Amino acid sequence: MTYDVIVIGAGHAGCEAALAAARMGCKTLLITLNLDYVALLPCNPAVGGPGKSHLVREVDALGGEIGLNTDKTFIQMRMLNTGKGPAVRALRAQVDKVLYQREMLKTLQGQRNLDLKQGSVERLLISKGEVTGVQTQTGARYKSKAVVLTTGTYLCGRIIIGEISYAGGPNSQRAPQGLAESLLDLGFELMCFKTGTPPRIDRKSIDFSKMIEQPGDREPLFFSYLSKKEERPQLSCWLTHSNEQTHDIVRENLHRSPLFSRNLEGAGPRYCPSFEDKVVNFPGRRRHQIFLEPEGWDTDEYYVQGMYTSLPEDIQLAALRTIPGMEDVQIIRAGYGIEYDALVPAQLESTLQTKEIKGFFTAGQINGTSGYEEAAAQGILAGINAALFVHGCEPLVLKRSEAYIGVLVDDLITKGVREPYRILTSRAEYRLLLRHDNADLRLTETGRRVGLVSEERYRIFSEKVRQIEEERAWLRETKVTPSSVVQEYLSAKGSAPLKGGMSLKNSSKGLNLPFLIS
């Protein structure tokens, strides 16, 4: 069969890439190892956080899906950094993992121009420096004008738990081997990275009375600019702490931890260190925060945030049982380390097209990043540019001054990576302007221009712009006069008195004066 765009892998990058290409009018194929694991959240059941929420909002403003899908499936939503300025405030949601996958699959299946197939791509088909399609493990061939590779951490993946290791991807899935060989044969440079996950434990074995409850915010909060702001029931997370007994067990068994003992070849994520690394690198810390995060409405599994480990399962259990509230805990799924291959991102253009092969794009953790949000951001950009390539249009390049997506991509292709890359607000020199609450004002017109923003989204956006302009006009036209009430208010605030009238736009800088206007 012949397609315009083929997307390999249905994780967070692949879903956004496939939806973007299909919505832009391209006949698209999304092919993945297992259709039961579309949009899998193999690590923590959370979306957002500092820097990451900015990416989610930007994907949403461009016409992507991660924000909408999170809003459909969250079990808790909080605004972080509320005591700081708006540039670093960030939404963070806990989601129902199974429901998240189910809703994304439903969206993909209902998308016009998009076919889904289960299979393992083993080879890229190239002719005269241009991609022409893919070949699967069974020998099936699919032709296309563009291919987007979004294999995440599956490429040559290897799972490690203590002294045991075996080939596999997250959640004990298969890991393709032939595709890496195909990339090497084409002259691409690969690198090896590693990461890890914590154990999942049984809710029935947790004593929450010894922990601190972490509820969601009461105010209705949502990622997507399209979601209706209505109250929803939420589940709480729980906070506890490790202690010296926990740390002693870890220290005594460091030789059995591949993530720490360097038995793994790849570099690990500095911003999500293993628990073993935290114990060794911060010897003065007598305790570390441990958050228990529910994985959904209909499951007893809790994710032990802050306990990433590759220690043997018996040591994981012994360490957990020293933590308050987990004295009798039972592990449902052991934590594990994973080692995988990634593409050196210096081989990419700012469009995420590879420099050597026309029509071949890559996105997500295959590019050396970490996180669902970073993957989704690259996915939508790669999908947009694959579609523009097929249509013979100018590509989309987002500048560092326009979007966190621009910061992410520019960092990857110009600075390279020595560890799995994570977006941070400190990476964006324009962060005072690139707030998560103004992503629609920055990027909706761009999404409209490339053909991703729906009529309904654009109508809502246009109404918001109209209301903002109306308020700005009111601020410009409304005058503050040096009345006795105003002067008394300014004096109480320690401000100099007004010498004459001025517009509310100028007078309200740093002061709350609108209530003084009659």
Side-chain angles (χ1 to χ4, degrees), residues 375-405:
Q378 294 172 74
I380 194 169
L381 183 63
I384 288 171
N385 280 319
L388 292 174
F389 175 84
V390 169
H391 294 320
C393 299
E394 285 294 313
L396 173 64
V397 175
L398 294 173
K399 301 176 184 177
R400 297 181 70 94
S401 58
E402 291 179 300
Y404 269 77
I405 299 175

Side-chain angles (χ1 to χ4, degrees), residues 3-5 18 20-29 112-114 383 386-388 390-391:
Y3 291 89
D4 294 319
V5 177
R23 288 167 177 172
M24 291 173 66
C26 291
K27 185 179 179 182
T28 305
L29 169 63
R112 189 169 60 89
N113 294 326
L114 180 59
L388 292 174
V390 169
H391 294 320

